[in-house]
Amino acid sequence: MGCTVFTIANQKGGVGKTTTAVNLAAALAERKIHTLVVDLDPQANATSALGVEKQEGKSLYGPLHGEGSAFEMLTPTAWPHLALIPSEQDLAAIEIELAQQQNYLMRLRSVLEPLRNSGGYRAIIIDCPPALGMLSMNSLAAADHLLIALQCEYMALEGLGQILKVVERLKQAGVNPTLDVGGIVMTMFDSRINLAKQVVEEVRQHLPDKIFQTLIPRTVRLSEAPSFGKPIFAYDANSPGAKAYRDLAKEVAERFNLKEATV
């Protein structure tokens, strides 16, 4: 059984991207699917949300420069079947430094290849910065599937069009010809707001085979959990947010044939 690499990206901040990366990963791990979160955002929000302290030298900064390996950066979390490669502030410098290297868009793919082949993971989930810069482009080049976290508001549709164009350009340029938009996760859904329902309906009409059925609700508990360094399942296991991410994990596992590991 192989390993599937997902990147969760959106050029817009505040759309539930990191919340989705952390809680989807935790929900897959809860299903005994060996999962690795790669925090590629210099703000290190995914790292904090999994209760891991930021530590100098513990990120992909070195490996992306050819110094050390991704294996050396693996960090356990408090939850079975879930590991992390943390982030740190130094990663911000990569945006400039990588552009000066050969094959700069393929650096992350090369760094993750050994983990993908022999790390024992079934899923690797990359959390990107809220911009389509060098780090996000590297994550798109390294991924099998892009999962787009899309907030249920009108302006989000414009952003969706932009990121779909970027995917097509990367494919046509031969950077990652097999990159697939694996799915769209509708986040911050409030059933009391008509506009939220309209946005979901519009995405369903235009991309019916891409949108996940599960809608992630806008809840206080989901917002609070990261400040306690916990996925929603460890913070409030019976909350609507926890149920939604469990449902999403079930959809993702079925859509991409992610099986429970035997080791």
Side-chain angles (χ1 to χ4, degrees):
M1 242 184 299
C3 173
T4 304
V5 179
F6 301 94
T7 189
I8 300 185
N10 194 316
Q11 68 271 41
K12 190 171 181 291
V15 298
K17 177 179 55 61
T18 298
T19 298
T20 295
V22 166
N23 288 302
L24 172 59
L28 290 173
E30 194 178 56
R31 299 174 72 88
K32 298 183 180 177
I33 296 167
H34 287 351
T35 303
L36 171 66
V37 174
V38 176
D39 190 350
L40 212 61
D41 187 345
Q43 296 178 74
N45 291 331
T47 299
S48 301
L50 286 171
V52 174
E53 291 286 329
K54 284 182 275 187
Q55 187 180 333
E56 191 175 344
K58 202 78 169 174
S59 74
L60 286 184
Y61 178 82
L64 285 169
H65 278 294
E67 301 163 5
S69 76
F71 277 102
E72 296 167 27
M73 303 303 160
L74 288 172
T75 303
T77 70
W79 297 278
H81 311 293
L82 182 60
L84 169 73
I85 291 181
S87 181
E88 58 171 335
Q89 190 61 44
D90 281 0
L91 262 185
I94 287 285
E95 294 287 350
I96 299 168
E97 294 167 357
L98 273 190
Q100 300 164 8
Q101 299 187 20
Q102 286 186 324
N103 296 323
Y104 59 87
L105 286 179
M106 306 303 289
R107 300 294 295 178
L108 181 63
R109 189 181 189 95
S110 299
V111 165
L112 293 181
E113 202 65 28
L115 274 177
R116 179 182 187 135
N117 293 334
S118 55
Y121 299 105
R122 295 294 176 256
I124 295 176
I125 295 179
I126 307 169
D127 184 39
C128 294
L132 291 177
M134 194 64 65
L135 287 167
S136 292
M137 289 299 191
N138 260 264
S139 79
L140 290 170
D144 299 307
H145 306 288
L146 166 64
L147 301 182
I148 303 171
L150 199 67
Q151 191 175 356
C152 294
E153 61 175 36
Y154 184 73
M155 291 301 289
L157 294 173
E158 189 176 309
L160 175 61
Q162 290 172 1
I163 199 165
L164 292 177
K165 284 178 185 172
V166 168
V167 170
E168 282 309 308
R169 286 195 194 112
L170 286 175
K171 290 170 73 170
Q172 289 168 11
V175 173
N176 188 354
T178 60
L179 178 62
D180 167 56
V181 178
I184 299 168
V185 183
M186 303 304 297
T187 63
M188 303 183 183
F189 178 74
D190 188 337
S191 60
R192 300 167 300 179
I193 299 175
N194 284 334
L195 179 59
K197 296 176 186 174
Q198 289 168 11
V199 170
V200 171
E201 195 52 44
E202 192 159 340
V203 176
R204 278 192 177 138
Q205 284 178 8
H206 287 89
L207 298 161
D209 58 330
K210 297 298 181 186
I211 188 170
F212 289 105
Q213 292 303 308
T214 303
L215 303 175
I216 307 300
R218 182 189 291 276
T219 75
V220 173
R221 304 301 270 175
L222 275 176
S223 303
E224 289 174 344
S227 63
F228 289 88
K230 296 177 178 179
I232 188 62
F233 315 106
Y235 182 63
D236 190 346
N238 297 315
S239 63
K243 181 185 184 305
Y245 276 110
R246 283 193 181 103
D247 290 346
L248 178 63
K250 182 174 185 289
E251 278 195 79
V252 169
E254 289 174 353
R255 183 175 293 191
F256 302 105
N257 196 30
L258 302 179
K259 303 291 187 184
E260 179 181 331
T262 56
V263 293

